[in-house]
Amino acid sequence: MKNENRKTEIINTASKLFKEKGYSAVTMRDLAKEMGIKAASLYNHITSKQEILSVLIISLAEEFTEGMTVIINSNNNCVEKLKQIINLHITITSNNQFGMASLNNDWMHLEATLSYYLELRKNYEDNFREIIKKGISNNEIINENAEVIVFSILSTLRSLYIWLPIKEELNIFKLTKNLNNILLNGISK
Amino acid sequence: MKNENRKTEIINTASKLFKEKGYSAVTMRDLAKEMGIKAASLYNHITSKQEILSVLIISLAEEFTEGMTVIINSNNNCVEKLKQIINLHITITSNNQFGMASLNNDWMHLEATLSYYLELRKNYEDNFREIIKKGISNNEIINENAEVIVFSILSTLRSLYIWLPIKEELNIFKLTKNLNNILLNGISK
DNA sequence: ACACGTAACTAACACTTGTTAGTTAATATA
DNA sequence: TATATTAACTAACAAGTGTTAGTTACGTGT
């Protein structure tokens, strides 16, 4: 049980299957088949199905947390911070197409690490909300309900994993520019 | 197997459980327990677990399709049509809090009705995209990539089910106004 | 009083689930 | 060359899965 490469391969393969069918619908035999081995052999590398989900989700959640920390500690104004957040989501999602599905849809099946995940998520949303509130009081952002703004932007960013793989003709740079414009300035003329 | 009320109760209870844990993770015994009966008794009212999911998702998808048909056949301009779409999502979601979770997350577990669902969804998205494209050529909407606009707005509207129950202090009327403003005009000053 | 339909029950089915135990062949280390 | 380690295997387990069969109690209309 030493080769961490193999463990990573298993987690990557699992994340692909989890995206297609969800954590609960993917069996260890499905996963093994996809890896070209038998289900029992998986246990030479991982300790449980749970562990796969937990590693997958928590590492992503921590990546978001770290990114947010950098952003809130920067000296940028609020609109600039929002652009950084948009960029953070695009970057992480484009590097973790499959894992993002579990982060969004399978977090409730976490067991030992569920409360830690919820804590990270709450902190992330709180930080996001504070940026918006600051922006409103700064007169950088329109004086709408902050909660609705947070929800609206975060929904779009959280859905990137569904949609990003489809639009490969649009490169990341252009997408970032487009999203910045749409989310910040709206679409109406 | 006559009382349709009881069947509806079962489907409603199931939709609540599906929202919490997803279709695959909810067992017929879970559902029965929630109903206060035994699992086998469910089969006096329904023919299979699949049927529950199918009824739940297809009826919602058809509701969206009907709403969209009314909108595209109206004489309104594109921005007005977009407001109608926003309103459609808010209305259906506030009336089907739980079912919307399955529509978003469990559609891939449909079997016999999967292709029909995919057809409805594709048509809906095509209609949405056409409205945006028309709006761009009309000079009503900014000339950004139409696909990114569709994705951005639809992501927000599709996530309403997660977020709408939390914000009960904000009534539907105010929420509609807020969302119209944010999605159409953006948040930046 | 009667039969009928409804909606619950118990018991059981065949199959699938995650996981463990024990084994084996190949590879790396001494 | 001898020894350990790695990563696969087969076989099996106990629990849980959706579903079916057969039964029972109850209320309604004849």
Side-chain angles (χ1 to χ4, degrees):
Chain A
M1 223 208 278
K2 257 264 184 80
N3 187 349
E4 285 292 316
N5 263 26
R6 198 75 173 127
K7 182 169 181 174
T8 306
E9 274 181 62
I10 290 174
I11 294 174
N12 286 342
T13 304
S15 73
K16 208 175 83 191
L17 298 182
F18 291 170
K19 185 188 171 183
E20 282 166 28
K21 321 203 305 178
Y23 174 75
S24 302
V26 175
T27 71
M28 296 304 276
R29 285 165 181 82
D30 291 337
L31 176 54
K33 192 167 227 172
E34 193 76 13
M35 294 286 300
I37 59 177
K38 299 286 164 161
S41 306
L42 293 168
Y43 290 84
N44 286 316
H45 307 279
I46 53 142
T47 69
S48 65
K49 190 188 178 191
Q50 254 301 298
E51 189 204 5
I52 300 176
L53 185 70
S54 189
V55 169
L56 200 55
I57 291 182
I58 296 297
S59 63
L60 275 170
E62 287 179 337
E63 211 174 322
F64 276 102
T65 299
E66 287 159 24
M68 179 60 91
T69 304
V70 172
I71 293 169
I72 57 177
N73 289 334
S74 76
N75 289 334
N76 296 315
N77 62 29
C78 296
V79 168
E80 207 52 48
K81 281 179 181 161
L82 277 183
K83 288 183 186 175
Q84 288 181 273
I85 291 176
I86 293 169
N87 192 62
L88 179 67
H89 279 259
I90 292 177
T91 304
I92 294 181
T93 303
S94 67
N95 293 333
N96 302 273
Q97 230 179 89
F98 304 126
M100 288 302 298
S102 295
L103 184 66
N104 275 281
N105 303 320
D106 290 323
W107 58 266
M108 70 282 270
H109 300 116
L110 288 174
E111 290 166 10
T113 55
L114 175 59
S115 60
Y116 175 52
Y117 161 77
L118 290 174
E119 186 194 329
L120 292 182
R121 189 177 67 175
K122 184 181 182 323
N123 288 340
Y124 189 85
E125 292 179 1
D126 286 348
N127 284 326
F128 199 137
R129 195 181 301 105
E130 281 314 305
I131 293 175
I132 298 291
K133 282 186 175 170
K134 185 81 186 299
I136 292 174
S137 69
N138 267 357
N139 228 27
E140 283 184 75
I141 292 175
I142 55 163
N143 188 13
E144 285 283 359
N145 186 303
E147 206 62 48
V148 180
I149 295 178
V150 170
F151 152 70
S152 174
I153 297 182
L154 217 40
S155 296
T156 296
L157 298 179
R158 282 180 175 156
S159 303
L160 274 168
Y161 78 97
I162 296 175
W163 181 85
L164 205 138
I166 304 172
K167 299 275 108 196
E168 283 165 8
E169 84 265 15
L170 208 75
N171 67 43
I172 302 293
F173 179 71
K174 274 170 84 177
L175 173 64
T176 306
K177 226 176 118 250
N178 280 356
L179 264 187
N180 280 343
N181 200 14
I182 292 171
L183 294 178
L184 295 173
N185 303 322
I187 63 166
S188 190
K189 265 201 179 163
Chain B
M1 223 207 277
K2 255 274 189 71
N3 187 349
E4 284 293 316
N5 262 26
R6 198 75 173 130
K7 182 169 179 173
T8 307
E9 275 181 62
I10 289 174
I11 293 174
N12 286 341
T13 305
S15 73
K16 208 176 82 190
L17 298 183
F18 291 169
K19 185 189 171 180
E20 283 167 26
K21 320 203 302 176
Y23 174 76
S24 303
V26 175
T27 71
M28 296 305 275
R29 285 164 181 82
D30 291 337
L31 176 53
K33 192 167 227 173
E34 193 76 11
M35 294 287 300
I37 60 178
K38 299 287 165 161
S41 306
L42 293 168
Y43 290 83
N44 287 316
H45 307 280
I46 53 142
T47 68
S48 65
K49 189 188 179 190
Q50 255 300 298
E51 189 204 6
I52 300 176
L53 186 70
S54 190
V55 168
L56 199 56
I57 291 182
I58 296 297
S59 63
L60 276 170
E62 288 179 337
E63 211 173 325
F64 275 102
T65 299
E66 288 160 23
M68 179 60 91
T69 303
V70 172
I71 292 169
I72 56 176
N73 289 333
S74 77
N75 289 334
N76 295 313
N77 62 29
C78 296
V79 168
E80 206 53 47
K81 281 179 182 164
L82 277 183
K83 287 184 185 174
Q84 288 181 274
I85 291 177
I86 293 170
N87 193 62
L88 179 68
H89 279 259
I90 292 176
T91 304
I92 295 181
T93 304
S94 67
N95 292 333
N96 303 273
Q97 230 177 90
F98 303 126
M100 288 303 297
S102 294
L103 183 67
N104 275 281
N105 303 320
D106 290 323
W107 57 266
M108 68 283 272
H109 300 117
L110 288 174
E111 289 165 13
T113 55
L114 174 60
S115 60
Y116 175 51
Y117 161 78
L118 290 174
E119 185 193 331
L120 292 181
R121 189 176 69 176
K122 182 180 181 325
N123 289 340
Y124 189 86
E125 291 179 2
D126 286 348
N127 285 326
F128 199 136
R129 195 179 302 106
E130 281 314 306
I131 292 175
I132 298 291
K133 282 185 175 168
K134 186 80 184 300
I136 292 174
S137 67
N138 266 357
N139 228 26
E140 285 184 73
I141 292 176
I142 55 162
N143 189 13
E144 283 284 358
N145 186 302
E147 208 63 49
V148 181
I149 295 178
V150 170
F151 152 70
S152 173
I153 298 182
L154 217 39
S155 295
T156 297
L157 297 179
R158 282 182 174 155
S159 303
L160 274 166
Y161 79 96
I162 296 174
W163 179 88
L164 205 139
I166 304 170
K167 300 274 107 195
E168 283 165 7
E169 82 265 12
L170 208 73
N171 66 45
I172 302 291
F173 179 73
K174 274 169 85 177
L175 173 63
T176 306
K177 225 175 120 252
N178 280 357
L179 263 188
N180 280 343
N181 201 16
I182 292 170
L183 294 179
L184 294 174
N185 304 321
I187 64 166
S188 189
K189 266 200 177 163

